[in-house]
Amino acid sequence: MSEEEATQAKAISVYETFWAEMERLYADKGTKTDSLKKYAAAEALVNGENGIKTMHAGGKVVTGKVVLGDTTVTKSDLDRKVPNVFLSVCLDVSKWNVLHADSGKPVALPSTRLTKYVVEATVEEWPQGWRVVRNRPQEKPC
């Protein structure tokens, strides 16, 4: 494995860990989102924290698993001052269950909602380590 391939693999691993942390945070209404800073920064951190806080403020939690598939490096620029890797990922949230936090009963969701869709992400190497800085759903099925 070349150095570039190893770096790309590290970026993918950080993205996967970011989603594992998002799962944990969405599932626990009482938890603070500070731990997300270990895996995300900039736009991805703000959007992730806001999504979790909005869900919890609405009295909801999300349980189950997010499945990441077809993860592809679309571009990488490792010679920059802040090296980055761009990813295209199929995010599958069909195994995620939105529940009322108090009762544990399922929240009614539209049958037309997209549960498997393309996400474009950017992962950068910051002084503290690799961080997801962009995580943008594309509203395209995969």
Side-chain angles (χ1 to χ4, degrees), residues 15 18-19 22 26 36-37 39-52 120-123 126 131-136:
Y15 188 73
F18 162 78
W19 270 105
M22 290 284 284
Y26 267 109
L36 198 56
K37 292 176 184 169
Y39 314 104
E43 177 185 313
L45 177 62
V46 171
N47 291 345
E49 288 177 333
N50 287 343
I52 292 163
E120 292 179 359
T122 306
V123 186
W126 289 36
R131 300 291 188 271
V132 178
V133 295
R134 278 185 210 90
N135 185 60
R136 295 183 177 166

Side-chain angles (χ1 to χ4, degrees), residues 53-71:
K53 289 175 184 175
T54 298
M55 184 72 67
H56 292 170
K60 299 174 187 85
V61 294
V62 184
T63 62
K65 290 285 180 195
V66 170
V67 178
L68 305 175
D70 297 328
T71 303

Side-chain angles (χ1 to χ4, degrees), residues 90-134:
C90 179
L91 186 72
D92 179 351
V93 296
S94 63
K95 307 248 186 287
W96 244 7
N97 305 302
V98 181
L99 307 172
H100 293 284
D102 295 338
S103 68
K105 292 185 179 183
V107 172
L109 299 171
S111 61
T112 57
R113 77 182 181 111
L114 200 54
T115 59
K116 294 180 184 179
Y117 50 90
V118 175
V119 174
E120 292 179 359
T122 306
V123 186
E124 292 182 343
E125 186 177 22
W126 289 36
Q128 307 86 349
W130 285 89
R131 300 291 188 271
V132 178
V133 295
R134 278 185 210 90

Side-chain angles (χ1 to χ4, degrees), residues 30-43:
T31 195
K32 295 191 185 297
T33 59
D34 296 344
S35 61
L36 198 56
K37 292 176 184 169
K38 295 178 192 173
Y39 314 104
E43 177 185 313

